Amino acid sequence: MTPSPHRLPGELFDAIAAGGGGAQAVRALARAEHSRRLACLYAIRTATREAGGAVAQRAESAWELLETVHRSDPGAATAVLTHPAAGPALVGLLAHLARRPEGADAPVHLLTALAAAAAVRARVPARARWPLAGPGPWVPLPSLGRAHFPGARPGDHAELRVGAEGRATLAIPDAPVPQPPVPVTGDPYRGGERWRGARLLAAFDTDAALTLDTLDPPSFPAAAGRAVHPDADEAHRWAARAKAACALLRADHPQAYAELTAGPWLLVPLRNPARGIVSGSSAETFGSMALSLPPNGTVLAVTMAHEMQHNKFAALLHLFDLFEEGPQGSQERYYAPWRPDPRPLVGLFHGAYAHLAVAQFWGRRGETEPDPALRALAHTRFARWRSGAREATAVILDSGRLTPLGLRFAGRMMETLDGMCRVPLPASAVRRAETAAREHLAAWHDAAGSAPAPTAGRAS
């Protein structure tokens, strides 16, 4: 379990900046994220040793179990440490130790749960015990699933046992209402009477998978309070739309499909809003996207393309400084053609990069969609988002805060968007896109009231 230095070839950096990069980009960034988490793990071990006492003992026990698993089955340790839930657990624990070096109230249980899940995957004999932190009757084992213990309370202790033959059980020995242990399997897609695993939506010939799972809220801040456990009917709808989305990407969007099949990718289901859908990603949960159930496969396909961009960009920002921080205390905010609220530079950069892929998606739909009405809609959306993403990218380039690498990245984005803006479109589609852009800017001004004019300039 040793972090590695990472170098990104210049041509791959440029390909990512142009909105793609394909499977090579996703795999390279995934390897970098794995090393980042190993570095967090080493830093946690150092910090807990300095804190001493019970915190150090619990962290050392988890570390030793992870080392044992790694020696026996490196793939099992990697599968757990690269799972989206591991990012917030490790970074959150390290941040807590940085704030409170003495280790008071450090959530070491997060590390113990990761080690326990790795032991289950590797079928390594082990015994691990950790306190429950969150409310509710579910006890999660990261990357595997969660066990149901009605009446479980924060402060109760979960106990995992893996026997010599590799069979694992999870229990709460001191529960007020005694309950039998829950058998735990290393198969993340297998469910049971009191065990819930991820739902497999698609398995690709690359050995990657697209899954549906509800992470516990601390593991995905973007989904906190909004995640849902789909019932059988809703899970069936997710599966049908995922099948349609994957087929569409495979047929007409080979670059996005290559990035999807370079996964694994996890979809975290959110409650449906009153209108439309919502989606989001988190910087520390590489490989996952939170979203509400889309109405059809096309919307799911473009949403996944959008969120994969956010994942790639977040991982890239962990490797490179693309911009300098603004002045301390600065309230600098920019107009984003896709948001009702002002955005900081990092948010504008993220959004411009994601909407570059959205524009690419709708540009291709305008070429391949057989239905005239849907083709006209695709043309309008292509016109809208190529213009919006280009406008934001111009502001980013003029911000005065980009590093040399940031200038190279945003410059490559601009070259790609300039090429898209030269694609001829029906005049009616361009008019509809321009009208939508003007209406969005007017609504933004109305919401801002007496706030300063948007830093991003014109919206046309």
Side-chain angles (χ1 to χ4, degrees):
M1 297 193 301
T2 304
S4 305
H6 291 271
R7 294 178 177 86
L8 206 62
E11 61 271 20
L12 183 56
F13 181 89
D14 290 338
I16 295 171
Q24 185 184 4
V26 170
R27 290 175 182 144
L29 294 171
R31 288 193 298 270
E33 287 293 289
H34 180 215
S35 280
R36 186 172 188 270
R37 291 178 186 181
L38 288 176
C40 282
L41 198 55
Y42 275 86
I44 288 167
R45 191 188 193 197
T46 299
T48 53
R49 281 180 166 182
E50 291 174 354
V55 167
Q57 292 174 4
R58 293 196 298 270
E60 193 66 22
S61 294
W63 172 274
E64 290 173 357
L65 181 52
L66 278 170
E67 276 197 322
T68 300
V69 169
H70 187 264
R71 285 193 298 268
S72 174
D73 186 349
T78 298
V80 172
L81 293 176
T82 56
H83 190 268
L90 295 173
V91 173
L93 175 53
L94 186 58
H96 182 99
L97 291 166
R99 292 191 305 269
R100 306 185 71 175
E102 76 284 0
D105 301 321
V108 181
H109 65 277
L110 299 172
L111 182 58
T112 305
L114 292 172
V120 173
R121 282 180 171 272
R123 298 171 62 85
V124 168
R127 181 176 178 177
R129 183 180 173 92
W130 66 97
L132 306 184
W138 295 96
V139 178
L141 272 178
S143 82
L144 292 175
R146 59 194 62 79
H148 192 226
F149 290 96
R153 305 160 304 178
D156 289 344
H157 281 74
E159 183 175 86
L160 176 91
R161 295 192 182 198
V162 185
E165 74 291 348
R167 292 182 180 176
T169 59
L170 190 62
I172 300 182
D174 304 322
V177 179
Q179 299 174 59
V182 176
V184 180
T185 172
D187 181 352
Y189 311 127
R190 183 179 297 176
E193 183 180 349
R194 293 172 56 207
W195 177 260
R196 178 178 289 162
R199 295 181 183 270
L200 180 64
L201 296 177
F204 306 111
D205 55 13
T206 57
D207 292 331
L210 178 67
T211 57
L212 182 73
D213 192 21
T214 304
L215 297 175
D216 49 310
S219 295
F220 201 145
R226 295 187 293 167
V228 294
H229 294 291
D231 59 23
D233 288 342
E234 182 137 348
H236 179 75
R237 289 193 289 272
W238 274 102
R241 283 159 210 186
K243 182 179 180 180
C246 291
L248 175 61
L249 292 176
R250 183 174 186 173
D252 294 335
H253 306 269
Q255 186 165 253
Y257 185 73
E259 293 179 356
L260 182 67
T261 60
W265 291 96
L266 172 69
L267 304 184
V268 179
L270 302 180
R271 291 187 180 89
N272 290 320
R275 294 179 57 191
I277 70 166
V278 292
S279 68
S281 301
S282 173
E284 300 299 343
T285 56
F286 185 84
S288 68
M289 332 171 206
L291 67 161
S292 57
L293 180 65
N296 53 55
T298 300
V299 176
L300 178 55
V302 69
T303 303
M304 289 194 297
H306 176 118
E307 296 300 340
M308 284 192 292
Q309 291 293 92
H310 282 303
N311 273 258
K312 287 157 53 185
F313 193 71
L316 199 76
L317 290 179
H318 288 158
L319 288 172
F320 305 111
D321 291 325
L322 299 185
F323 54 88
E324 303 289 349
E325 294 297 328
Q328 189 170 6
S330 170
Q331 296 299 312
E332 184 177 40
R333 292 292 184 268
Y334 297 89
Y335 169 69
W338 46 83
R339 293 278 301 219
D341 53 337
R343 305 296 290 153
L345 184 65
V346 62
L348 188 69
F349 214 156
H350 252 291
Y353 185 62
H355 279 81
L356 185 157
V358 172
Q360 288 173 324
F361 180 92
W362 289 117
R364 181 61 177 156
R365 296 308 314 139
E367 296 172 355
T368 60
E369 175 56 60
D371 182 275
L374 294 178
R375 188 166 60 249
L377 178 63
H379 284 150
T380 300
R381 289 177 173 171
F382 178 45
R384 174 79 171 97
W385 298 124
R386 70 180 183 180
S387 175
R390 188 192 184 283
E391 173 193 341
T393 303
V395 173
I396 294 164
L397 283 165
D398 290 341
S399 68
R401 289 171 49 194
L402 298 188
T403 63
L405 271 180
L407 286 168
R408 175 173 172 171
F409 192 91
R412 189 72 180 93
M413 286 174 60
M414 183 61 83
E415 290 174 12
T416 305
L417 289 161
D418 280 344
M420 285 194 278
C421 287
R422 288 192 291 269
V423 173
L425 288 175
S428 58
V430 174
R431 284 196 302 270
R432 286 192 293 269
E434 290 176 343
T435 298
R438 285 192 298 270
E439 290 175 349
H440 185 277
L441 181 57
W444 192 95
H445 275 297
D446 289 344
S450 58
T455 313
R458 296 181 298 111
S460 57

